[in-house]
Amino acid sequence: LTIYPQLLVNVKVKDKNVVLNDEDIKNKIEDIKRKLGNDGQILVRASGTEPLIRVMVEAENDKLCNDYVYSVVDLINEKGYQA
């Protein structure tokens, strides 16, 4: 079992469903999944109790975690979804 670094960032948003259904964001997530392959994972989900999108990445090192998480967070912000 290999334990990878993990980074979780919560993004406060106006509408969780709009963010999760945005094609650009879905494509970004799929691109990251392809890049990670079997060496990590990405999980982007809505909080069940708060107006948040949770972006979590596990990868081989902290730099990859940071780069991948913030590429999704930055896209959410660029599109004006952040509350």
Side-chain angles (χ1 to χ4, degrees):
L1 174 66
T2 303
I3 308 273
Y4 287 132
Q6 182 181 88
L7 178 62
L8 170 67
V9 173
N10 295 319
V11 184
K12 193 168 188 170
V13 295
K14 298 172 198 166
D15 188 327
K16 299 181 283 192
N17 292 321
V18 170
V19 174
L20 293 178
N21 290 310
D22 183 286
E23 286 301 316
D24 292 333
I25 293 172
K26 292 197 290 194
N27 290 336
K28 174 66 79 178
I29 294 165
E30 287 304 314
D31 182 50
I32 293 169
K33 283 182 183 177
R34 277 191 298 280
K35 289 178 181 175
L36 286 169
N38 292 325
D39 295 321
Q41 67 176 333
I42 181 169
L43 175 64
V44 179
R45 70 175 189 86
S47 167
T49 58
E50 300 174 87
L52 298 174
I53 296 293
R54 303 187 192 282
V55 182
M56 187 278 298
V57 171
E58 289 179 351
E60 292 181 282
N61 59 60
D62 290 330
K63 181 179 180 342
L64 284 176
C65 288
N66 191 66
D67 290 349
Y68 290 145
V69 163
Y70 281 100
S71 69
V72 174
V73 170
D74 290 346
L75 184 57
I76 291 169
N77 293 337
E78 286 170 19
K79 294 190 137 265
Y81 295 140
Q82 190 173 26

